[in-house]
């Protein structure tokens, strides 16, 4: 094949908002998985945290990771079809941020109360 052959697809621009949204969703998914690992590491079997509170934290952070991954996939699917990003992706980004904030805050609150 010659090097001057055209490739199919859409070339993203550096200032493309959909590309930035996709990268941000990947970042949120990675952050949520890191937070989940930290929570599980710090909440060992002898930590003294209640299992109910720990379950709420794990659910919130895991749900944030799942929503971020699904939303990033939605951006890719819509981009491949040549359609604009719909409002479910923006809704997913907002929900993911709130769940990460809720889960991290709840864990830190419970974990810091152990030192009192």
């Amino acid at each position: 094949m010659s090097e001057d052959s055209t490739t199919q697809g859409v070339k993203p621009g550096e200032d493309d908002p959909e590309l930035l949204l996709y990268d941000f969703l990947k970042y949120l998914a990675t952050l949520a998985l890191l937070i989940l690992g930290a929570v599980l590491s710090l909440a060992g079997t002898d930590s003294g945290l209640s299992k109910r509170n720990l379950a709420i934290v794990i659910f919130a952070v895991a749900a944030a990771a799942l929503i971020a991954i699904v939303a990033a996939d939605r951006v890719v699917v819509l981009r491949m079809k040549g359609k604009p990003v719909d409002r479910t992706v923006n809704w997913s980004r907002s929900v993911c941020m709130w769940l990460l904030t809720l889960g991290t805050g709840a864990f830190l609150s419970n974990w810091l109360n152990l030192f009192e």
Side-chain angles (χ1 to χ4, degrees):
M1 290 186 81
S2 66
E3 290 186 28
D4 60 333
S5 66
T6 60
T7 58
Q8 293 182 338
V10 179
K11 182 179 180 195
E14 290 183 13
D15 59 344
D16 186 2
E18 292 173 358
L19 183 63
L20 294 174
L21 180 61
Y22 174 75
D23 284 342
F24 185 65
L25 289 166
K26 285 191 319 183
Y27 167 75
L28 287 178
T30 303
L31 185 63
L33 293 174
L34 286 172
I35 291 171
L36 187 60
V39 165
L40 293 174
S41 295
L42 291 173
T45 56
D46 59 348
S47 68
L49 291 172
S50 76
K51 293 190 184 290
R52 180 181 155 270
N53 289 344
L54 190 58
I56 291 170
V57 169
I58 290 171
F59 175 78
V61 175
L66 179 65
I67 289 170
I69 291 168
V70 170
D73 177 65
R74 181 88 176 131
V75 169
V76 170
V77 168
L78 290 172
R79 184 70 183 235
M80 287 173 44
K81 291 180 180 179
K83 296 181 180 177
V85 172
D86 54 13
R87 63 182 178 164
T88 60
V89 175
N90 289 320
W91 175 85
S92 298
R93 181 190 48 79
S94 298
V95 169
C96 181
M97 289 293 295
W98 280 106
L99 285 172
L100 275 177
T101 303
L102 173 74
T104 305
F107 177 75
L108 288 175
S109 174
N110 290 319
W111 191 62
L112 291 175
N113 284 338
L114 293 176
F115 296 113
E116 291 179 354

